[in-house]
Amino acid sequence: MKISRIFIEEQVKDHPRTLKILSRFSAVSVTVIRKVEDVFGRVKKPYLQKRETLNLFVGRKEGTVVKRAPDAYGLKEDPHYYFVHAYNCIYECEYCYLQGYFHSPDLVFFINHEEIGKEMVRLIEKVHPEKTVWFHAGEFSDSLALSHITDEWPFYFDLFSKFPRAKLELRTKSVNIAAIKALTPQKNILITYSLSPDILAQKYDRNTPSINSRLKAMETLASLGHPIGIHFDPIVCFDEVESAYEELIEKIVKKIPSEKIEYISLGAIRFSKQAYRAVEKNYSASDLLAADFMKSSDDKVRYPRPLRLYLLNKVRDLCLSAGIDRRKIYLCMES
């Protein structure tokens, strides 16, 4: 990751978190701006420019800082929210929806975590006083990849220690776990990893840690007492899909006992229309584009429903055969 310029909002330029971030990039030019939105994405920037250089923006997230998640986002019956603490990712997965979401691949860090936490507390105490409320990080960025720079997780671990009824999920593909290893594990804070068979990860998960590296990080965190979750998402159809997932699941349960896995989500590959057009532009030779996709009722580009259900049921059955409790398995973004 090469940061070429840093833009700091006037209102946070002297904030301790901003100064700590800047200390990591002492040789990079800094420009003070009024608002992130005045510069970020105002001129469309090619997504693949992230391979060369990125700008970094630091600011205060305003507006809705905690958003209600779509139906089928998490375990049923519970209310689910995701919170916005960063934009964009240093990894380059060919199927990533972020390439069709923002007009720029530049990184944005928001530092007003106390305000985000205050809204979380309101939702826990006032809106859902008798329910388990889930909050998910990693919707617009990887939760751990840059955590040594952003350093937000001590704040959230402390916050959720006071609200054991609530759940916090950190979604990641990163093995940058030093910040988490330094924190006391909590039953209501889950570290969840997106995994694919190695043959798929090598092909589509560009610049990400290998699957074996991710499994090692998961094993380390689980041994320390951190609850672990798994996302088999996106599931991509190919000839050896059953044997490949069987091998992956066997590796997982050898490293992490099935009773220590909090849940597994399953999701077949899907795109927004904007993301699909971006994949066509950025990865025109990708065999992802050779699939028989169709536009579904939710306006997503997906496999036909019979194929999706075949893949989801097949992987679910492999999980069950490996000893995973059926109640821990759910379908993500699928009715």
Side-chain angles (χ1 to χ4, degrees):
M1 181 183 67
K2 182 179 179 181
I3 299 297
S4 58
R5 280 183 81 183
I6 299 176
F7 296 88
I8 305 292
E9 285 186 352
E10 172 71 31
Q11 61 181 324
V12 303
K13 65 183 178 64
D14 297 318
H15 194 287
R17 289 196 183 103
T18 302
L19 298 177
K20 191 170 184 178
I21 291 168
L22 289 178
S23 71
R24 296 276 188 166
F25 303 98
S26 57
V28 180
S29 171
V30 177
T31 301
V32 177
I33 58 176
R34 189 185 68 88
K35 289 296 297 172
V36 166
E37 293 78 11
D38 292 344
V39 182
F40 173 75
R42 291 299 294 268
V43 176
K44 194 165 186 178
K45 190 173 182 179
Y47 177 75
L48 295 185
Q49 191 171 327
K50 69 190 296 181
R51 295 175 176 176
E52 301 166 10
T53 62
L54 289 168
N55 293 326
L56 170 61
F57 294 80
V58 181
R60 172 177 173 262
K61 181 70 177 78
E62 297 180 344
T64 305
V65 295
V66 182
K67 300 185 178 184
R68 187 70 185 249
D71 292 340
Y73 191 87
L75 291 166
K76 292 182 178 180
E77 311 302 333
D78 297 328
H80 291 262
Y81 294 84
Y82 59 86
F83 60 104
V84 184
H85 59 108
Y87 290 162
N88 282 323
C89 182
I90 60 172
Y91 301 139
E92 191 194 318
C93 300
E94 288 189 8
Y95 47 78
C96 181
Y97 78 92
L98 290 176
Q99 61 189 304
Y101 196 88
F102 298 115
H103 291 307
S104 170
D106 287 337
L107 301 172
V108 180
F109 297 158
F110 296 113
I111 62 160
N112 52 317
H113 299 295
E114 286 78 10
E115 291 179 76
I116 295 171
K118 184 177 179 180
E119 176 61 9
M120 290 174 166
V121 172
R122 186 188 73 83
L123 291 166
I124 295 167
E125 294 186 332
K126 305 295 185 184
V127 180
H128 306 288
E130 297 181 358
K131 291 188 175 182
T132 298
V133 192
W134 288 77
F135 298 94
H136 304 272
E139 180 69 11
F140 295 120
S141 61
D142 187 286
S143 293
L144 298 187
L146 298 175
S147 58
H148 61 296
I149 299 173
T150 53
D151 195 32
E152 67 267 59
W153 299 127
F155 168 79
Y156 289 101
F157 268 64
D158 179 65
L159 176 67
F160 277 76
S161 70
K162 302 167 185 172
F163 297 96
R165 179 168 51 83
K167 300 275 191 179
L168 174 64
E169 181 204 21
L170 310 186
R171 294 187 176 188
T172 189
K173 291 179 182 174
S174 176
V175 299
N176 182 24
I177 59 174
I180 303 301
K181 287 169 65 177
L183 298 170
T184 301
Q186 295 184 35
K187 292 181 179 180
N188 61 333
I189 299 180
L190 291 74
I191 317 300
T192 67
Y193 273 82
S194 297
L195 300 174
S196 301
D198 196 55
I199 188 173
L200 297 182
Q202 289 184 31
K203 189 183 292 188
Y204 304 127
D205 291 8
R206 296 171 179 248
N207 302 325
T208 64
S210 69
I211 295 300
N212 283 338
S213 294
R214 293 182 222 176
L215 290 174
K216 185 177 180 180
M218 293 166 61
E219 183 181 22
T220 297
L221 292 172
S223 70
L224 292 173
H226 292 280
I228 299 295
I230 295 167
H231 297 279
F232 290 142
D233 192 353
I235 298 172
V236 176
C237 185
F238 68 111
D239 289 344
E240 296 82 25
V241 64
E242 182 174 358
S243 60
Y245 271 95
E246 183 176 24
E247 180 181 352
L248 174 59
I249 293 166
E250 286 178 357
K251 284 184 178 180
I252 292 170
V253 296
K254 283 182 180 179
K255 291 182 176 294
I256 305 171
S258 59
E259 64 272 12
K260 291 190 176 182
I261 297 173
E262 296 292 321
Y263 65 79
I264 296 178
S265 78
L266 312 177
I269 191 167
R270 58 203 175 274
F271 306 92
S272 66
K273 290 185 295 184
Q274 295 86 351
Y276 188 77
R277 287 196 292 266
V279 174
E280 289 181 310
K281 177 181 179 180
N282 295 327
Y283 308 104
S284 58
S286 175
D287 56 11
L288 283 176
L289 299 170
D292 183 22
F293 289 114
M294 59 177 289
K295 182 180 176 181
S296 61
S297 58
D298 63 356
D299 217 27
K300 294 286 195 301
V301 178
R302 300 176 180 264
Y303 291 143
R305 185 170 174 81
L307 177 56
R308 300 200 312 267
L309 293 181
Y310 165 77
L311 292 170
L312 295 169
N313 287 330
K314 183 60 66 176
V315 177
R316 182 193 61 187
D317 289 345
L318 291 170
C319 291
L320 295 174
S321 297
I324 306 297
D325 188 327
R326 182 182 297 270
R327 294 168 295 182
K328 293 183 176 182
I329 304 170
Y330 74 92
L331 305 186
C332 184
M333 305 303 292
E334 192 80 49
S335 60

